[in-house]
Amino acid sequence: MQRTEFGNQPPSDQVLGRPPPPLELPYTKAETTISLPAPGDITIPAVDLRDAIEHRESVRNYAPEPLTLAEAAFLLWCTQGVKRVVDGTFTIRTVPSAGARHAFETYLLVNRVEGLAPGLYRYLAVEHRLAEESRDPGIARQVAAGCLNQPHITESAVTFLWTAVPDRMTWRYGERGYRYLHLDAGHVCQNLYLAASGTGCGVCAIAAFDDAAMNRLLGIDGERQFLIYLATVGKKP
């Protein structure tokens, strides 16, 4: 914390006039991406905000009922949805982020979503689409093992996995940006808790995981991209 106090870092890349990193990691695999229902076309029952806040709690037991594709799309949009791209250099989204840097990528472990095969996907937030990452039938068990064998991962309808791409944040804030990554993760997960109440779902945030094992499982290097937070989601019993 002391090393990242204000004024203790050299000038950031932004101050030095270097171009910002891309808004989103490219998708290079051969499989086609999957269209999601447009946010404006999704109908979700209205929930009073005070009720959602007062009844917010972590839920680890889920009904076997699947999520609809529209419900999954709604939760993805509520947690990282892009409302507009500004000058190709930053995005305005449904969640706050320091300097509008939005340094996260969202992976979605799908166990039960109508119209989606079980597997691991990545949310392409700028395009509002899903990209297939893995159809390994054992992927849910591997994610659970990497999260110290927490059973609600295999029992959930979906699990959100958020990775951080620190260059997007440190470009503007230097190493102090690592603080902001963790603050931003809290903003994102709280949006998930509140948005899920409208879909009849419960959520449980997860911060206990084997960093190296999970980064290997996701195929990321743990430095330029690393797992920062997870959350299981499923219909309430």
Side-chain angles (χ1 to χ4, degrees):
M1 292 295 287
Q2 290 175 339
R3 288 197 299 270
T4 56
E5 286 183 355
F6 184 78
N8 283 354
Q9 300 85 45
S12 67
D13 285 346
Q14 182 184 29
V15 171
L16 295 173
R18 295 169 182 160
L23 301 176
E24 185 173 76
L25 294 179
Y27 184 68
T28 57
K29 295 186 178 180
E31 291 84 358
T32 58
T33 59
I34 300 164
S35 297
L36 293 171
D41 295 336
I42 299 171
T43 300
I44 297 294
V47 175
D48 181 79
L49 179 59
R50 178 169 177 167
D51 286 344
I53 291 173
E54 288 183 346
H55 293 96
R56 190 224 58 79
E57 62 180 355
S58 291
V59 176
R60 294 174 175 82
N61 297 311
Y62 306 113
E65 180 184 353
L67 269 64
T68 66
L69 185 60
E71 288 170 335
F74 174 72
L75 296 178
L76 288 164
W77 182 79
C78 286
T79 51
Q80 278 292 279
V82 176
K83 296 191 286 186
R84 65 183 184 275
V85 177
V86 182
D87 299 329
T89 59
F90 66 94
T91 54
I92 303 300
R93 306 198 186 196
T94 54
V95 289
S97 176
R101 296 313 305 151
H102 294 290
F104 296 149
E105 298 286 338
T106 302
Y107 293 78
L108 191 70
L109 174 66
V110 171
N111 291 325
R112 297 185 304 280
V113 175
E114 294 175 356
L116 282 181
L120 184 69
Y121 299 80
R122 181 159 66 91
Y123 179 47
L124 308 180
V126 175
E127 299 88 350
H128 190 60
R129 299 175 70 88
L130 283 177
E132 184 181 295
E133 291 285 328
S134 174
R135 293 279 294 276
D136 183 341
I139 189 68
R141 293 192 302 274
Q142 294 172 59
V143 172
C147 293
L148 315 183
N149 295 306
Q150 298 184 64
H152 48 293
I153 291 174
T154 55
E155 296 166 4
S156 67
V158 298
T159 295
F160 284 69
L161 301 90
W162 294 291
T163 66
V165 182
D167 285 353
R168 285 189 212 149
M169 188 66 74
T170 59
W171 171 81
R172 182 163 188 173
Y173 296 111
E175 287 198 355
R176 187 174 175 87
Y178 280 89
R179 292 191 185 194
Y180 303 154
L181 294 175
H182 294 86
L183 298 175
D184 280 7
H187 303 325
V188 169
C189 196
Q190 181 72 340
N191 260 31
L192 180 62
Y193 270 91
L194 296 177
S197 62
T199 65
C201 288
V203 176
C204 183
I206 296 174
F209 54 87
D210 182 327
D211 299 76
M214 288 301 298
N215 289 332
R216 284 195 301 271
L217 179 59
L218 294 173
I220 57 181
D221 65 6
E223 293 186 11
R224 296 180 65 85
Q225 184 183 7
F226 53 85
L227 184 65
I228 195 167
Y229 211 10
L230 303 90
T232 56
V233 180
K235 293 289 185 176
K236 292 182 178 178

